[in-house]
Amino acid sequence: MKIGLFFGSFNPIHMGHLIIGNTMAYNTDLDEVWYIVSPQNPFKKNKSLLHEFDRLEMVEKAIADNFKLKASDIEFSMPKPSYTIDTLTVLSEKFPQHEFVLIMGEDNLVQFRNWKNHEKILEYYQLYVYPRPNTDPHEFENHASVKFEEAPLLDISATYIRNAIKNGKSIRYMVKEEVEKFIELKGFYL
Protein backbone atom coordinates (compact mmCIF):
# COMPACT_ATOMS: atom_id res chain seq x y z
CA MET A 1 0.00 0.00 0.00
CA LYS A 2 0.95 3.62 -0.47
CA ILE A 3 0.60 5.34 2.90
CA GLY A 4 0.54 9.09 3.50
CA LEU A 5 2.05 10.12 6.83
CA PHE A 6 0.56 13.21 8.43
CA PHE A 7 2.71 14.26 11.39
CA GLY A 8 1.51 16.59 14.10
CA SER A 9 0.95 17.36 17.74
CA PHE A 10 -2.83 17.23 17.16
CA ASN A 11 -3.29 19.29 20.31
CA PRO A 12 -6.23 18.93 19.64
CA ILE A 13 -6.99 17.36 16.27
CA HIS A 14 -9.43 19.65 14.44
CA MET A 15 -11.52 19.76 11.26
CA GLY A 16 -8.62 21.22 9.25
CA HIS A 17 -6.48 18.14 10.04
CA LEU A 18 -9.37 15.84 9.18
CA ILE A 19 -10.15 17.55 5.87
CA ILE A 20 -6.49 17.38 4.80
CA GLY A 21 -6.20 13.69 5.75
CA ASN A 22 -9.47 12.78 4.07
CA THR A 23 -8.63 14.76 0.93
CA MET A 24 -5.24 13.05 0.64
CA ALA A 25 -6.75 9.60 1.30
CA TYR A 26 -9.54 9.89 -1.25
CA ASN A 27 -8.34 12.39 -3.89
CA THR A 28 -4.77 11.16 -4.51
CA ASP A 29 -3.16 7.77 -5.19
CA LEU A 30 -2.74 7.09 -1.46
CA ASP A 31 -4.40 3.97 -0.01
CA GLU A 32 -4.41 5.26 3.58
CA VAL A 33 -3.35 8.24 5.67
CA TRP A 34 -1.71 7.63 9.04
CA TYR A 35 -1.83 10.41 11.62
CA ILE A 36 1.55 10.25 13.38
CA VAL A 37 1.01 11.74 16.83
CA SER A 38 4.28 13.43 17.79
CA PRO A 39 5.19 13.35 21.47
CA GLN A 40 7.37 16.45 21.03
CA ASN A 41 8.01 18.49 17.92
CA PRO A 42 11.63 19.73 17.94
CA PHE A 43 10.43 23.11 16.61
CA LYS A 44 7.61 23.54 19.15
CA LYS A 45 8.07 23.98 22.87
CA ASN A 46 4.54 24.02 24.22
CA LYS A 47 3.60 23.89 27.89
CA SER A 48 -0.08 23.35 26.98
CA LEU A 49 0.79 20.12 25.15
CA LEU A 50 -1.46 17.34 26.42
CA HIS A 51 -0.02 13.93 27.23
CA GLU A 52 0.65 11.95 24.05
CA PHE A 53 -1.83 9.18 24.95
CA ASP A 54 -4.65 11.73 25.38
CA ARG A 55 -3.83 13.26 21.98
CA LEU A 56 -3.69 9.79 20.40
CA GLU A 57 -7.10 8.97 21.88
CA MET A 58 -8.53 12.21 20.44
CA VAL A 59 -7.18 11.30 16.99
CA GLU A 60 -8.67 7.79 17.29
CA LYS A 61 -12.06 9.23 18.24
CA ALA A 62 -11.92 11.77 15.39
CA ILE A 63 -11.18 9.21 12.65
CA ALA A 64 -13.04 6.15 13.98
CA ASP A 65 -15.64 6.32 11.19
CA ASN A 66 -13.13 6.45 8.31
CA PHE A 67 -11.41 3.18 7.33
CA LYS A 68 -8.76 4.99 5.22
CA LEU A 69 -7.48 7.02 8.19
CA LYS A 70 -5.36 5.50 10.99
CA ALA A 71 -3.74 6.81 14.17
CA SER A 72 -0.14 5.88 14.95
CA ASP A 73 1.83 5.98 18.19
CA ILE A 74 5.09 4.91 16.47
CA GLU A 75 7.01 7.89 17.88
CA PHE A 76 6.00 7.21 21.49
CA SER A 77 8.72 4.59 21.89
CA MET A 78 11.37 6.54 19.98
CA PRO A 79 13.95 8.96 21.44
CA LYS A 80 12.61 12.49 22.00
CA PRO A 81 12.45 14.86 20.35
CA SER A 82 11.41 12.77 17.37
CA TYR A 83 12.78 13.63 13.96
CA THR A 84 10.85 12.80 10.79
CA ILE A 85 13.77 11.01 9.12
CA ASP A 86 14.10 8.64 12.10
CA THR A 87 10.37 7.88 12.11
CA LEU A 88 10.40 7.27 8.34
CA THR A 89 13.33 4.87 8.77
CA VAL A 90 11.59 2.94 11.58
CA LEU A 91 8.33 2.70 9.62
CA SER A 92 10.12 1.58 6.44
CA GLU A 93 11.94 -1.15 8.39
CA LYS A 94 8.79 -2.24 10.25
CA PHE A 95 6.53 -2.20 7.16
CA PRO A 96 8.77 -2.93 4.15
CA GLN A 97 5.69 -3.86 2.09
CA HIS A 98 4.42 -0.26 2.19
CA GLU A 99 5.56 2.86 0.36
CA PHE A 100 5.51 5.92 2.61
CA VAL A 101 4.80 9.49 1.54
CA LEU A 102 5.13 12.56 3.73
CA ILE A 103 2.11 14.92 3.84
CA MET A 104 2.85 18.53 4.77
CA GLY A 105 1.64 22.06 4.36
CA GLU A 106 3.51 24.36 2.02
CA ASP A 107 4.45 26.52 5.02
CA ASN A 108 6.54 23.59 6.35
CA LEU A 109 8.23 23.20 2.97
CA VAL A 110 9.57 26.75 3.25
CA GLN A 111 11.60 25.75 6.34
CA PHE A 112 12.25 22.16 5.18
CA ARG A 113 16.00 22.82 4.77
CA ASN A 114 16.18 23.09 8.60
CA TRP A 115 14.88 19.53 9.09
CA LYS A 116 17.32 16.83 10.15
CA ASN A 117 18.59 14.98 7.04
CA HIS A 118 16.09 16.75 4.77
CA GLU A 119 18.09 15.71 1.71
CA LYS A 120 17.72 12.01 2.67
CA ILE A 121 13.96 12.47 3.04
CA LEU A 122 13.83 13.93 -0.49
CA GLU A 123 16.05 11.15 -1.81
CA TYR A 124 13.97 8.25 -0.45
CA TYR A 125 10.44 9.60 0.01
CA GLN A 126 7.88 11.69 -1.84
CA LEU A 127 6.32 14.78 -0.28
CA TYR A 128 2.64 15.51 -0.93
CA VAL A 129 2.25 19.20 -0.19
CA TYR A 130 -1.02 21.03 0.30
CA PRO A 131 -1.13 24.80 -0.30
CA ARG A 132 -1.09 27.31 2.55
CA PRO A 133 -2.01 30.98 2.18
CA ASN A 134 0.70 33.64 2.05
CA THR A 135 3.54 31.14 1.63
CA ASP A 136 6.82 32.59 0.39
CA PRO A 137 8.48 31.11 -2.70
CA HIS A 138 10.90 28.34 -1.80
CA GLU A 139 13.67 26.24 -3.30
CA PHE A 140 11.70 22.95 -3.28
CA GLU A 141 8.88 24.19 -5.53
CA ASN A 142 10.08 22.21 -8.55
CA HIS A 143 11.85 19.33 -6.80
CA ALA A 144 11.18 15.90 -8.35
CA SER A 145 10.13 14.41 -4.98
CA VAL A 146 7.64 17.19 -4.21
CA LYS A 147 4.08 16.87 -5.49
CA PHE A 148 1.53 19.61 -4.89
CA GLU A 149 -2.01 18.47 -4.12
CA GLU A 150 -5.08 20.67 -4.01
CA ALA A 151 -6.87 20.64 -0.67
CA PRO A 152 -9.48 22.90 0.91
CA LEU A 153 -7.99 25.35 3.37
CA LEU A 154 -9.57 25.97 6.76
CA ASP A 155 -7.94 28.65 8.82
CA ILE A 156 -8.41 26.84 12.13
CA SER A 157 -5.54 26.45 14.54
CA ALA A 158 -5.18 24.26 17.61
CA THR A 159 -3.95 27.39 19.44
CA TYR A 160 -7.23 29.18 18.64
CA ILE A 161 -9.22 26.17 19.90
CA ARG A 162 -7.21 25.91 23.14
CA ASN A 163 -7.67 29.65 23.78
CA ALA A 164 -11.41 29.40 23.08
CA ILE A 165 -11.74 26.57 25.62
CA LYS A 166 -9.68 28.48 28.18
CA ASN A 167 -11.99 31.48 27.73
CA GLY A 168 -15.21 29.46 27.93
CA LYS A 169 -16.05 29.90 24.23
CA SER A 170 -17.63 27.35 21.88
CA ILE A 171 -15.45 25.07 19.74
CA ARG A 172 -18.43 23.42 18.04
CA TYR A 173 -17.78 22.53 14.36
CA MET A 174 -14.04 23.19 14.78
CA VAL A 175 -13.50 19.68 16.16
CA LYS A 176 -15.54 16.51 15.76
CA GLU A 177 -18.31 16.13 18.33
CA GLU A 178 -16.58 13.08 19.85
CA VAL A 179 -13.41 15.13 20.38
CA GLU A 180 -15.35 18.04 21.90
CA LYS A 181 -17.07 15.66 24.38
CA PHE A 182 -13.74 14.04 25.29
CA ILE A 183 -12.13 17.45 25.92
CA GLU A 184 -15.09 18.48 28.12
CA LEU A 185 -15.10 15.17 30.00
CA LYS A 186 -11.37 15.40 30.76
CA GLY A 187 -11.34 19.14 31.42
CA PHE A 188 -8.52 19.72 28.94
CA TYR A 189 -7.12 23.18 28.13
CA LEU A 190 -8.96 25.01 30.92
Side-chain angles (χ1 to χ4, degrees), residues 58-161:
M58 278 193 280
V59 171
E60 289 168 342
K61 287 177 182 307
I63 64 174
D65 61 351
N66 192 329
F67 75 96
K68 289 188 90 172
L69 305 180
K70 308 276 186 249
S72 173
D73 64 358
I74 191 78
E75 290 191 337
F76 292 10
S77 57
M78 294 176 61
K80 292 166 185 59
S82 37
Y83 293 95
T84 304
I85 186 63
D86 300 331
T87 308
L88 288 166
T89 303
V90 169
L91 283 168
S92 295
E93 288 169 359
K94 191 171 179 178
F95 302 102
Q97 72 277 25
H98 296 324
E99 177 185 349
F100 292 104
V101 169
L102 191 56
I103 297 170
M104 69 167 60
E106 192 173 9
D107 52 335
N108 283 317
L109 198 58
V110 172
Q111 57 160 339
F112 189 63
R113 175 167 289 291
N114 300 328
W115 290 28
K116 179 183 174 188
N117 295 81
H118 75 277
E119 59 287 317
K120 288 284 180 221
I121 295 172
L122 288 169
E123 185 178 343
Y124 294 107
Y125 302 93
Q126 274 192 298
L127 274 57
Y128 282 20
V129 179
Y130 56 93
R132 299 288 288 166
N134 309 316
T135 304
D136 295 327
H138 45 82
E139 63 189 291
F140 302 107
E141 228 160 294
N142 299 309
H143 195 285
S145 296
V146 176
K147 184 176 179 188
F148 287 88
E149 296 290 351
E150 281 302 309
L153 293 177
L154 276 185
D155 195 15
I156 298 176
S157 77
T159 303
Y160 179 89
I161 293 168

